[in-house]
């Protein structure tokens, strides 16, 4: 089975812009979770989607949003980018909702200048 | 609320030496515990997990971790490290049907 794929792998944006990141889960997995990884804060949970519904959300401002499509692919959007949004954004898929069994993609490295 | 503490941000060690990466957690309820490894420019991979049963869990590449409920710890050990073990290691905790909470990570640097 193919693993979790994320596109793009690298992205450079300017403050104030918005960005959309994409995640394709492992075939058959219906849950997708997003994490932000920074050197100072480590890995922080953003949100989880299961069957096109957000079922859990971390402590991030409303500028961070996501959605999931009927084929389980997920997108994450960040509006009005700030310098502090520079991070590695990781997506993880799981066969079930709220499961510890998560398979991570390689991440999207976002740099905000 | 649950939390995970990895006290060591970096651990330098020579090849073939033993290593211990420390992890402590806090939780008022029973939890599941995990160690993930992240190699450069890659996502996280599950290294090992404790769900229940034997408190000593092992991975296929020689790492082991022991769940110590009284000390609320889940330290990761390997008796003899290899250059290829150089990576970042994350401890994580989860209750059943709940999201993973990660520690801040420990960078293991193995020198020849």
């Amino acid at each position: 089975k193919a693993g979790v794929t994320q596109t793009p792998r690298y992205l450079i944006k300017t403050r104030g812009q918005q960005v959309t990141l994409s995640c394709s889960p492992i075939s058959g997995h219906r849950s997708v979770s997003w994490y932000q990884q920074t050197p100072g804060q480590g890995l922080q949970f953003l949100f989880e989607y299961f069957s096109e519904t957000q079922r859990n959300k971390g402590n991030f401002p409303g500028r961070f949003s996501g959605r999931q499509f009927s084929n389980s692919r997920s997108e994450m959007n960040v509006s009005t980018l700030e310098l502090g949004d520079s991070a590695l954004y990781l997506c993880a898929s799981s066969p079930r909702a709220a499961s510890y069994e998560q398979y991570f993609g390689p991440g999207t490295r976002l740099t905000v200048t | 609320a649950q939390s995970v503490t990895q006290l060591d941000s970096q651990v330098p060690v020579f090849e073939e030496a033993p290593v211990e990466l420390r992890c402590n957690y806090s939780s008022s309820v029973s939890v599941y515990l995990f160690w993930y490894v992240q190699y450069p420019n890659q996502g996280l991979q599950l290294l090992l997990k404790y769900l229940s049963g034997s408190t000593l869990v092992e991975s296929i590449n020689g790492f082991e971790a022991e769940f110590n409920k009284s000390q609320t710890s889940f330290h990761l050990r390997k008796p003899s490290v290899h250059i290829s073990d150089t990576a970042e290691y994350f401890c994580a905790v989860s209750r059943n049907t709940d999201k993973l909470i990660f520690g801040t990570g420990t960078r293991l640097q193995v020198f020849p």
Side-chain angles (χ1 to χ4, degrees):
Chain A
K1 270 186 182 177
V4 177
T5 57
Q6 293 187 245
T7 57
R9 291 291 311 277
Y10 302 91
L11 205 50
I12 300 175
K13 289 286 188 179
T14 305
R15 269 182 305 176
Q17 287 186 311
Q18 75 164 16
V19 67
T20 299
L21 312 181
S22 180
C23 172
S24 292
I26 292 171
S27 177
H29 285 193
R30 294 166 61 194
S31 169
V32 172
S33 297
W34 288 90
Y35 296 84
Q36 181 194 67
Q37 185 180 11
T38 58
Q41 300 293 321
L43 275 149
Q44 293 187 287
F45 172 78
L46 280 156
F47 28 65
E48 179 194 6
Y49 285 86
F50 180 78
S51 294
E52 302 179 64
T53 302
Q54 186 183 91
R55 67 171 310 280
N56 215 339
K57 189 177 190 305
N59 189 25
F60 277 82
R63 300 186 297 107
F64 292 81
S65 63
R67 58 178 176 168
Q68 187 180 34
F69 302 95
S70 58
N71 62 358
S72 294
R73 189 177 70 86
S74 177
E75 287 182 348
M76 168 191 146
N77 185 76
V78 188
S79 62
T80 320
L81 284 165
E82 301 177 359
L83 294 178
D85 297 332
S86 294
L88 181 67
Y89 289 89
L90 292 165
C91 162
S93 80
S94 175
R96 297 172 297 281
S99 173
Y100 58 80
E101 185 184 355
Q102 299 202 8
Y103 300 85
F104 284 81
T108 294
R109 171 80 58 189
L110 172 64
T111 302
V112 182
T113 61
Chain B
Q2 306 155 76
S3 67
V4 180
T5 301
Q6 292 181 250
L7 289 171
D8 307 306
S9 59
Q10 294 188 64
V11 173
V13 64
F14 287 107
E15 196 172 19
E16 297 183 8
V19 71
E20 177 180 83
L21 307 184
R22 296 180 293 170
C23 172
N24 288 88
Y25 70 93
S26 65
S27 177
S28 58
V29 298
S30 297
V31 295
Y32 299 153
L33 294 159
F34 310 86
W35 276 99
Y36 282 82
V37 59
Q38 185 178 34
Y39 297 103
N41 299 315
Q42 294 186 29
L44 275 69
Q45 301 172 34
L46 180 64
L47 189 59
L48 45 77
K49 63 189 178 198
Y50 170 78
L51 305 180
S52 64
S54 172
T55 57
L56 184 66
V57 290
E58 299 176 353
S59 72
I60 57 173
N61 57 354
F63 281 96
E64 64 179 31
E66 185 161 19
F67 169 57
N68 187 318
K69 189 174 181 180
S70 62
Q71 297 185 6
T72 59
S73 68
F74 191 56
H75 301 333
L76 182 69
R77 303 185 182 96
K78 188 169 185 180
S80 176
V81 295
H82 191 268
I83 294 282
S84 61
D85 293 324
T86 294
E88 186 137 22
Y89 292 79
F90 292 90
C91 183
V93 62
S94 172
R95 291 182 301 171
N96 192 19
T97 70
D98 203 353
K99 60 184 182 292
L100 286 168
I101 305 295
F102 287 90
T104 51
T106 297
R107 179 165 296 280
L108 175 63
Q109 180 72 55
V110 182
F111 295 95

